[in-house]
Amino acid sequence: MKILKERIQKDGVALTDRILKVDSFINHQIDPQLMYEIGEEFAEYFKKYNITKVLTIEASGISMAVMTGLHLKVPVVFAKKHEALNLDKDLYLSKVFSFTKNKEYLIKVSKHYIDATDNVLIIDDFLANGKAAIGLADIVKQAEAKVCGIGIVIEKDFQDGGKILREQGFDVKSLAIIESLCDGNVSFK
Ligand code: G4P
Protein backbone atom coordinates (compact mmCIF):
# COMPACT_ATOMS: atom_id res chain seq x y z
CA MET A 1 0.00 0.00 0.00
CA LYS A 2 1.84 3.01 -1.35
CA ILE A 3 0.66 5.70 1.08
CA LEU A 4 1.39 3.48 4.06
CA LYS A 5 4.94 2.75 2.88
CA GLU A 6 5.53 6.46 2.23
CA ARG A 7 4.28 7.27 5.71
CA ILE A 8 6.53 4.65 7.30
CA GLN A 9 9.51 6.09 5.41
CA LYS A 10 8.59 9.63 6.46
CA ASP A 11 7.57 9.13 10.12
CA GLY A 12 8.64 5.62 11.15
CA VAL A 13 11.78 5.23 13.24
CA ALA A 14 13.89 2.06 13.25
CA LEU A 15 14.54 1.89 16.99
CA THR A 16 16.71 -1.21 16.67
CA ASP A 17 17.28 -3.72 13.86
CA ARG A 18 14.05 -5.47 15.01
CA ILE A 19 11.66 -2.76 16.25
CA LEU A 20 9.97 -0.09 14.15
CA LYS A 21 8.48 2.84 16.05
CA VAL A 22 5.27 4.17 14.49
CA ASP A 23 3.94 6.05 17.51
CA SER A 24 3.08 9.19 15.59
CA PHE A 25 0.41 7.57 13.38
CA ILE A 26 -0.47 4.07 14.73
CA ASN A 27 0.63 3.15 18.26
CA HIS A 28 0.06 6.32 20.27
CA GLN A 29 -1.21 9.16 18.11
CA ILE A 30 -3.50 7.78 15.39
CA ASP A 31 -4.03 9.16 11.88
CA PRO A 32 -7.76 8.55 11.26
CA GLN A 33 -7.60 9.24 7.51
CA LEU A 34 -4.80 6.69 7.09
CA MET A 35 -6.75 4.17 9.23
CA TYR A 36 -9.81 4.79 7.04
CA GLU A 37 -7.82 4.00 3.91
CA ILE A 38 -6.23 0.94 5.54
CA GLY A 39 -9.73 -0.31 6.41
CA GLU A 40 -10.84 0.26 2.83
CA GLU A 41 -7.85 -1.71 1.50
CA PHE A 42 -8.53 -4.68 3.81
CA ALA A 43 -12.25 -4.60 3.01
CA GLU A 44 -11.55 -4.62 -0.73
CA TYR A 45 -9.20 -7.62 -0.43
CA PHE A 46 -11.32 -9.70 1.99
CA LYS A 47 -14.82 -8.91 0.64
CA LYS A 48 -14.75 -12.23 -1.32
CA TYR A 49 -15.17 -14.16 1.96
CA ASN A 50 -18.55 -12.86 3.14
CA ILE A 51 -17.02 -11.73 6.44
CA THR A 52 -19.49 -11.45 9.34
CA LYS A 53 -17.08 -10.27 12.06
CA VAL A 54 -13.72 -8.55 12.43
CA LEU A 55 -11.59 -9.70 15.37
CA THR A 56 -8.56 -7.91 16.80
CA ILE A 57 -6.68 -7.49 20.08
CA GLU A 58 -6.41 -4.45 22.29
CA ALA A 59 -5.06 -1.86 22.05
CA SER A 60 -3.37 -0.91 18.79
CA GLY A 61 -5.33 -3.27 16.55
CA ILE A 62 -8.61 -1.53 17.34
CA SER A 63 -8.35 1.55 15.13
CA MET A 64 -7.69 -0.29 11.87
CA ALA A 65 -10.11 -3.09 12.77
CA VAL A 66 -12.93 -0.59 13.33
CA MET A 67 -12.27 1.04 9.96
CA THR A 68 -12.25 -2.39 8.30
CA GLY A 69 -15.56 -3.22 9.98
CA LEU A 70 -16.94 0.12 8.82
CA HIS A 71 -16.13 -0.66 5.19
CA LEU A 72 -17.34 -4.28 5.42
CA LYS A 73 -20.41 -3.16 7.42
CA VAL A 74 -19.86 -5.79 10.13
CA PRO A 75 -19.24 -5.63 13.92
CA VAL A 76 -15.75 -5.53 15.36
CA VAL A 77 -14.73 -7.55 18.43
CA PHE A 78 -11.49 -7.00 20.30
CA ALA A 79 -9.87 -9.57 22.56
CA LYS A 80 -9.13 -8.18 26.02
CA LYS A 81 -5.69 -8.53 27.53
CA HIS A 82 -6.48 -6.87 30.82
CA GLU A 83 -8.80 -7.87 33.62
CA ALA A 84 -12.08 -5.94 33.51
CA LEU A 85 -15.02 -5.88 35.89
CA ASN A 86 -17.49 -5.58 33.04
CA LEU A 87 -16.24 -8.71 31.26
CA ASP A 88 -18.70 -11.63 30.91
CA LYS A 89 -17.92 -14.80 32.81
CA ASP A 90 -18.55 -16.95 29.75
CA LEU A 91 -15.29 -16.50 27.85
CA TYR A 92 -13.07 -18.00 25.20
CA LEU A 93 -9.50 -17.89 26.52
CA SER A 94 -6.14 -18.34 24.83
CA LYS A 95 -2.55 -17.93 25.99
CA VAL A 96 -0.25 -15.69 23.95
CA PHE A 97 3.49 -15.46 24.44
CA SER A 98 5.04 -12.13 23.45
CA PHE A 99 8.68 -12.40 22.39
CA THR A 100 8.90 -8.62 22.20
CA LYS A 101 7.89 -8.33 25.86
CA ASN A 102 9.13 -11.77 26.95
CA LYS A 103 5.94 -12.62 28.79
CA GLU A 104 2.81 -14.68 28.44
CA TYR A 105 -0.64 -13.19 28.70
CA LEU A 106 -4.20 -14.44 28.50
CA ILE A 107 -6.56 -13.07 25.84
CA LYS A 108 -10.29 -13.19 26.43
CA VAL A 109 -13.38 -12.87 24.23
CA SER A 110 -16.97 -13.14 25.43
CA LYS A 111 -18.84 -16.13 24.00
CA HIS A 112 -21.67 -13.72 23.14
CA TYR A 113 -19.75 -12.12 20.30
CA ILE A 114 -18.47 -15.01 18.16
CA ASP A 115 -20.36 -18.18 17.31
CA ALA A 116 -20.29 -21.06 14.86
CA THR A 117 -22.08 -19.07 12.14
CA ASP A 118 -19.31 -16.46 11.91
CA ASN A 119 -16.81 -15.88 9.09
CA VAL A 120 -14.07 -14.04 10.91
CA LEU A 121 -11.41 -11.66 9.62
CA ILE A 122 -8.47 -11.19 12.04
CA ILE A 123 -6.80 -7.76 11.93
CA ASP A 124 -3.67 -6.53 13.74
CA ASP A 125 -1.14 -3.73 13.48
CA PHE A 126 2.11 -5.75 13.57
CA LEU A 127 3.07 -9.27 12.59
CA ALA A 128 6.31 -10.34 14.27
CA ASN A 129 6.29 -13.93 15.53
CA GLY A 130 2.61 -14.47 14.86
CA LYS A 131 1.64 -15.39 18.41
CA ALA A 132 -1.16 -12.84 18.74
CA ALA A 133 -2.74 -13.95 15.43
CA ILE A 134 -2.42 -17.62 16.43
CA GLY A 135 -4.11 -16.87 19.79
CA LEU A 136 -6.96 -15.06 18.01
CA ALA A 137 -7.33 -17.95 15.52
CA ASP A 138 -7.48 -20.34 18.48
CA ILE A 139 -10.40 -18.36 19.93
CA VAL A 140 -12.22 -18.51 16.57
CA LYS A 141 -11.65 -22.28 16.54
CA GLN A 142 -13.07 -22.63 20.07
CA ALA A 143 -16.17 -20.80 18.83
CA GLU A 144 -16.37 -23.30 15.92
CA ALA A 145 -16.36 -20.31 13.59
CA LYS A 146 -14.13 -19.89 10.49
CA VAL A 147 -11.01 -17.76 10.09
CA CYS A 148 -11.33 -16.39 6.54
CA GLY A 149 -8.17 -14.32 6.57
CA ILE A 150 -5.63 -12.30 8.51
CA GLY A 151 -5.01 -8.62 7.67
CA ILE A 152 -1.79 -7.09 8.95
CA VAL A 153 -0.75 -3.46 8.61
CA ILE A 154 3.02 -3.99 9.03
CA GLU A 155 4.66 -7.41 8.66
CA LYS A 156 8.31 -7.91 9.60
CA ASP A 157 9.59 -10.41 7.07
CA PHE A 158 12.74 -11.10 9.10
CA GLN A 159 10.62 -12.65 11.87
CA ASP A 160 8.77 -15.93 11.42
CA GLY A 161 5.10 -15.01 11.91
CA GLY A 162 4.16 -14.56 8.24
CA LYS A 163 5.80 -17.83 7.22
CA ILE A 164 4.16 -19.78 10.07
CA LEU A 165 0.66 -18.40 9.38
CA ARG A 166 0.89 -18.96 5.60
CA GLU A 167 2.19 -22.51 6.14
CA GLN A 168 -0.88 -23.13 8.30
CA GLY A 169 -3.00 -22.17 5.26
CA PHE A 170 -4.19 -18.74 6.39
CA ASP A 171 -4.79 -16.07 3.74
CA VAL A 172 -2.48 -13.36 5.14
CA LYS A 173 -2.66 -9.90 3.56
CA SER A 174 0.03 -7.48 4.79
CA LEU A 175 -0.12 -3.88 3.59
CA ALA A 176 3.59 -3.18 4.14
CA ILE A 177 6.23 -5.90 4.44
CA ILE A 178 9.53 -4.86 5.98
CA GLU A 179 12.58 -6.74 4.80
CA SER A 180 15.09 -5.14 7.14
CA LEU A 181 15.66 -2.36 9.64
CA CYS A 182 19.39 -1.81 9.26
CA ASP A 183 21.30 1.24 10.56
CA GLY A 184 18.07 3.18 11.00
CA ASN A 185 16.94 2.48 7.41
CA VAL A 186 13.63 0.82 6.60
CA SER A 187 13.68 -1.49 3.54
CA PHE A 188 10.50 -2.97 2.10
CA LYS A 189 10.18 -6.32 0.40
P1 G4P B 1 3.55 -11.50 17.64
O1 G4P B 1 2.15 -11.37 18.17
O2 G4P B 1 3.63 -11.32 16.13
O3 G4P B 1 4.22 -12.76 18.11
O4 G4P B 1 4.40 -10.27 18.23
P2 G4P B 1 4.94 -9.94 19.68
O5 G4P B 1 4.19 -10.77 20.68
O6 G4P B 1 6.40 -10.05 19.65
O7 G4P B 1 4.46 -8.43 19.84
C1 G4P B 1 4.10 -7.91 21.08
C2 G4P B 1 3.65 -6.50 20.96
O8 G4P B 1 4.65 -5.72 20.28
C3 G4P B 1 2.39 -6.28 20.17
O9 G4P B 1 1.78 -5.12 20.67
C4 G4P B 1 2.92 -5.99 18.76
O10 G4P B 1 1.98 -5.29 17.99
C5 G4P B 1 4.11 -5.15 19.09
N1 G4P B 1 5.18 -5.15 18.11
C6 G4P B 1 5.89 -6.20 17.62
N2 G4P B 1 6.86 -5.76 16.82
C7 G4P B 1 6.77 -4.40 16.79
C8 G4P B 1 7.50 -3.37 16.13
O11 G4P B 1 8.47 -3.58 15.38
N3 G4P B 1 7.09 -2.09 16.36
C9 G4P B 1 6.04 -1.79 17.18
N4 G4P B 1 5.71 -0.49 17.30
N5 G4P B 1 5.33 -2.74 17.81
C10 G4P B 1 5.70 -4.02 17.62
P3 G4P B 1 1.13 -5.01 22.09
O12 G4P B 1 2.09 -5.25 23.19
O13 G4P B 1 -0.04 -5.95 22.08
O14 G4P B 1 0.76 -3.52 22.20
P4 G4P B 1 -0.55 -2.72 21.90
O15 G4P B 1 -1.37 -3.43 20.86
O16 G4P B 1 -1.26 -2.65 23.22
O17 G4P B 1 -0.06 -1.41 21.40
Side-chain angles (χ1 to χ4, degrees):
M1 187 182 179
K2 191 164 175 277
I3 57 159
L4 173 64
K5 290 183 187 168
E6 286 169 357
R7 188 61 178 274
I8 293 170
Q9 287 292 12
K10 181 168 157 280
D11 292 331
V13 178
L15 274 188
T16 67
D17 60 358
R18 299 184 86 73
I19 298 291
L20 176 70
K21 187 170 155 90
V22 286
D23 272 33
S24 65
F25 57 104
I26 293 180
N27 290 135
H28 196 3
Q29 174 171 263
I30 297 170
D31 180 338
Q33 183 61 39
L34 180 63
M35 292 309 124
Y36 185 88
E37 288 172 43
I38 283 171
E40 191 170 38
E41 192 88 5
F42 281 140
E44 182 58 32
Y45 181 81
F46 288 110
K47 67 182 181 192
K48 56 191 172 192
Y49 290 117
N50 188 26
I51 302 293
T52 61
K53 238 155 242 176
V54 174
L55 176 66
T56 188
I57 186 165
E58 66 177 344
S60 299
I62 296 174
S63 61
M64 60 279 302
V66 167
M67 291 303 175
T68 306
L70 180 73
H71 286 286
L72 288 171
K73 299 186 172 61
V74 299
V76 178
V77 179
F78 64 94
K80 303 231 183 188
K81 288 193 291 201
H82 304 289
E83 299 304 324
L85 287 174
N86 60 354
L87 205 55
D88 286 328
K89 295 284 170 273
D90 217 5
L91 298 168
Y92 302 116
L93 304 172
S94 191
K95 283 182 188 163
V96 173
F97 182 77
S98 169
F99 286 98
T100 307
K101 296 188 170 165
N102 194 27
K103 69 170 189 188
E104 189 176 74
Y105 57 96
L106 202 57
I107 60 172
K108 315 159 194 82
V109 172
S110 164
K111 291 188 179 175
H112 286 119
Y113 300 128
I114 303 182
D115 66 35
T117 63
D118 279 318
N119 290 329
V120 179
L121 170 60
I122 292 172
I123 295 286
D124 210 354
D125 56 341
F126 271 93
L127 177 57
N129 299 289
K131 300 294 185 194
I134 289 167
L136 292 171
D138 176 47
I139 279 177
V140 176
K141 192 175 162 202
Q142 291 176 45
E144 298 177 12
K146 185 174 173 204
V147 177
C148 294
I150 300 176
I152 298 291
V153 178
I154 303 174
E155 175 178 342
K156 295 186 288 184
D157 193 47
F158 52 86
Q159 291 177 277
D160 281 344
K163 186 167 169 276
I164 291 166
L165 294 175
R166 290 182 181 97
E167 278 176 5
Q168 290 185 12
F170 292 113
D171 183 355
V172 181
K173 171 73 176 167
S174 297
L175 302 185
I177 302 184
I178 293 178
E179 196 167 63
S180 69
L181 296 170
C182 281
D183 303 324
N185 294 314
V186 181
S187 306
F188 295 103
K189 194 172 169 191

